[in-house]
Amino acid sequence: MSRSSAFVPSGGRGRSAQAMRRVQALPVIEISRDEAMEFWAGVMRRRCGNPETCAVMFGVTVQTARNWFTAFSRPHIDVVLQAMRWWPDDFSGADLGQGR
């Protein structure tokens, strides 16, 4: 049996006013795809030094590491999460979008 997709009116099964006040909004980091790639390239250049070392550290091909170094592409989330574990200071938010 399917349920109605209509919006529940005020006083219906929706959230209480008290529950709505507890909702928290996370800050939004405004960063474009190009800025994200530049940011990642900067982290790789600072922390790995060269594409060959980067390839070994992250288990990728040297060509993939070169693409990261030149901001041609960016990695999958598992690689980003590993980098965040190794170098949390680089992901503190202060430098995001700066391409340093």
Side-chain angles (χ1 to χ4, degrees):
M1 171 167 63
S2 63
R3 296 182 184 197
S4 170
S5 61
F7 180 77
V8 178
S10 179
R13 295 183 329 211
R15 294 173 57 97
S16 69
Q18 184 180 14
M20 286 186 211
R21 284 191 291 273
R22 289 192 306 259
V23 173
Q24 297 178 1
L26 297 174
V28 175
I29 299 172
E30 294 290 334
I31 187 166
S32 71
R33 288 179 182 216
D34 289 341
E35 289 172 326
M37 288 190 289
E38 285 295 332
F39 172 78
W40 181 255
V43 171
M44 293 301 97
R45 286 189 293 264
R46 255 189 329 277
R47 295 298 188 158
C48 297
N50 61 61
E52 291 77 14
T53 301
C54 178
V56 171
M57 289 183 75
F58 290 101
V60 298
T61 65
V62 174
Q63 184 59 53
T64 295
R66 285 185 186 127
N67 289 342
W68 294 348
F69 267 66
T70 60
F72 181 76
S73 66
R74 56 196 170 181
H76 293 279
I77 189 67
D78 58 322
V79 173
V80 175
L81 292 174
Q82 183 60 54
M84 289 174 74
R85 285 186 200 116
W86 288 338
W87 311 305
D89 293 343
D90 286 318
F91 295 86
S92 66
D95 290 337
L96 291 176
Q98 300 303 314
R100 293 183 190 159

